[in-house]
Amino acid sequence: MTTSPSSNAPQAAEVIQLLLRSTHHIQQQYEARLSALSLPFPLSGPRLRLLLAVWKAEPIRMNELAGKLGVKARTITDLVDALERDGLLIRVPDPMDRRATLLRLSAEAVPHIENVKRIQKDISESLLERLAPEQRGQLFGLLSLLAGDCEVHFVC
Amino acid sequence: MTTSPSSNAPQAAEVIQLLLRSTHHIQQQYEARLSALSLPFPLSGPRLRLLLAVWKAEPIRMNELAGKLGVKARTITDLVDALERDGLLIRVPDPMDRRATLLRLSAEAVPHIENVKRIQKDISESLLERLAPEQRGQLFGLLSLLAGDCEVHFVC
DNA sequence: TATTGTTATACTCTATAACTATA
DNA sequence: TATAGTTATAGAGTATAACAATA
């Protein structure tokens, strides 16, 4: 009496592989649609992730930002260099600690970010079109459970 | 009367962001545990993905492999160069078409792959430990629905 | 002595364009 | 003329190690 893998408990490895595969596809869609926007600057996944993290926590130290994004400080330096060159971020000395540097969004960045947030919403809606509202709630619940308490530390 | 986001329909963007964040975490765990194995060769995500795709479809043309993995042919050349240098893959001329090259796993690769499959299973179990069997089934079902029919074309 | 961010360097993954050999 | 794979080149994202300025 075999049952379909979607209604009965599948192997753990199958679930994880399906999860990785789905996300791979979603990430590709995401990046493709963001690139298609013809913004005045390139907007890759890591660049957007950094911008949104600053947007949510501004002003924020480079060091703290590295922690939130789960990358090394060295990686932040290069990304911020590029984003500052594009006029999206500003480095400000931290008055509390002269070793540290704070990051802020530039004035021009703000409307772009708001635009991107709207587009994120559209993209997300179309990616989820196959799921009914109730199923979206279920998926959200299961993913929250899966992520446990790691979710507080990272941004995406 | 507000309800918790896990029991009621959340915003689409929230669901997608949680999905991307969870997967980011899972990928990091995955790669970290694979690196910790001290195998006689490095085993990054893309390298493993390629090896498993060959393992499932062997012998397979480089061209077709590129399609399955969703990358350009040029990318395959470099990855295969490195894996061949590490003694894991073998290039074989295609008898049907002298332009084409077939890929096979080397004899030494096979036990390593089997080892990796076992480890994948362990990692997956520990990543899913918070979900009951029934919930795993639900998650699998929702992700299948989400992925639609794209899942046939890609490997992970 | 420890920490913040940078310079210097390098590796992996990915891509486009031009080329070779075959079809 | 079109396709399979390679050489040549480039760019993004990541890392380690050594160093400067400051704590």
Side-chain angles (χ1 to χ4, degrees):
Chain A
M1 55 174 244
T2 342
T3 50
S4 105
S6 59
S7 64
N8 211 5
Q11 293 296 312
E14 290 178 291
V15 180
I16 294 294
Q17 291 205 6
L18 179 55
L19 179 61
L20 293 173
R21 214 187 308 148
S22 314
T23 315
H24 188 247
H25 171 238
I26 284 175
Q27 272 177 333
Q28 284 195 332
Q29 293 284 311
Y30 227 97
E31 297 232 7
R33 294 202 40 187
L34 284 174
S35 305
L37 293 181
S38 68
L39 295 164
F41 45 83
L43 203 52
S44 66
R47 280 166 63 98
L48 178 56
R49 226 163 61 95
L50 193 153
L51 283 178
L52 291 177
V54 173
W55 176 74
K56 275 196 264 191
E58 159 184 52
I60 185 174
R61 281 194 190 182
M62 296 185 68
N63 209 16
E64 196 189 338
L65 183 59
K68 264 199 213 292
L69 296 177
V71 298
K72 297 296 180 214
R74 181 63 186 84
T75 302
I76 298 294
T77 298
D78 277 353
L79 281 170
V80 170
D81 282 351
L83 290 166
E84 203 177 21
R85 252 192 323 270
D86 290 344
L88 296 167
L89 279 186
I90 302 167
R91 279 183 169 97
V92 187
D94 184 344
M96 313 303 262
D97 183 341
R98 287 196 300 176
R99 291 171 304 181
T101 303
L102 294 173
L103 297 176
R104 290 185 178 284
L105 291 183
S106 72
E108 309 102 273
V110 177
H112 285 308
I113 295 285
E114 282 162 3
N115 188 21
V116 165
K117 296 290 285 182
R118 269 196 304 277
I119 288 150
Q120 269 195 324
K121 218 166 167 174
D122 285 355
I123 300 176
S124 302
E125 284 294 348
S126 79
L127 287 170
L128 284 182
E129 66 184 355
R130 286 193 180 85
L131 298 193
E134 192 197 340
Q135 294 174 316
R136 297 179 190 191
Q138 275 181 17
L139 180 57
F140 191 92
L142 290 167
L143 290 172
S144 303
L145 200 56
L146 183 66
D149 36 24
C150 314
E151 63 190 305
V152 228
H153 303 111
F154 291 103
V155 241
C156 126
Chain B
M1 65 174 236
T2 343
T3 49
S4 103
S6 60
S7 64
N8 210 5
Q11 293 296 312
E14 289 179 291
V15 180
I16 294 294
Q17 291 205 4
L18 179 55
L19 179 62
L20 293 172
R21 216 188 305 149
S22 313
T23 315
H24 188 247
H25 171 238
I26 284 176
Q27 273 177 332
Q28 284 195 329
Q29 293 285 311
Y30 229 95
E31 297 231 8
R33 292 201 42 187
L34 285 173
S35 306
L37 292 181
S38 68
L39 296 164
F41 45 83
L43 203 51
S44 66
R47 279 166 63 98
L48 178 55
R49 224 162 63 93
L50 193 154
L51 283 177
L52 291 177
V54 173
W55 176 74
K56 275 195 264 191
E58 155 181 59
I60 183 174
R61 282 195 190 181
M62 296 183 68
N63 209 15
E64 194 188 340
L65 183 60
K68 264 199 212 290
L69 296 177
V71 298
K72 297 295 180 215
R74 180 62 186 85
T75 303
I76 299 294
T77 298
D78 277 353
L79 281 170
V80 169
D81 283 350
L83 290 166
E84 202 177 21
R85 250 192 324 269
D86 291 342
L88 295 168
L89 279 187
I90 302 167
R91 279 182 169 96
V92 187
D94 185 344
M96 312 303 262
D97 184 341
R98 288 195 297 175
R99 292 170 305 179
T101 304
L102 294 173
L103 298 176
R104 290 186 178 284
L105 291 184
S106 73
E108 310 103 272
V110 178
H112 285 307
I113 295 283
E114 281 162 5
N115 189 21
V116 165
K117 296 289 287 182
R118 269 195 305 277
I119 288 151
Q120 269 196 324
K121 217 166 168 175
D122 285 355
I123 299 176
S124 301
E125 283 294 349
S126 79
L127 287 170
L128 285 182
E129 67 184 354
R130 287 194 180 85
L131 298 193
E134 192 197 340
Q135 294 174 314
R136 297 180 190 193
Q138 274 181 15
L139 179 58
F140 192 91
L142 289 168
L143 290 172
S144 304
L145 200 54
L146 184 66
D149 35 25
C150 314
E151 64 191 304
V152 227
H153 304 108
F154 292 102
V155 240
C156 128

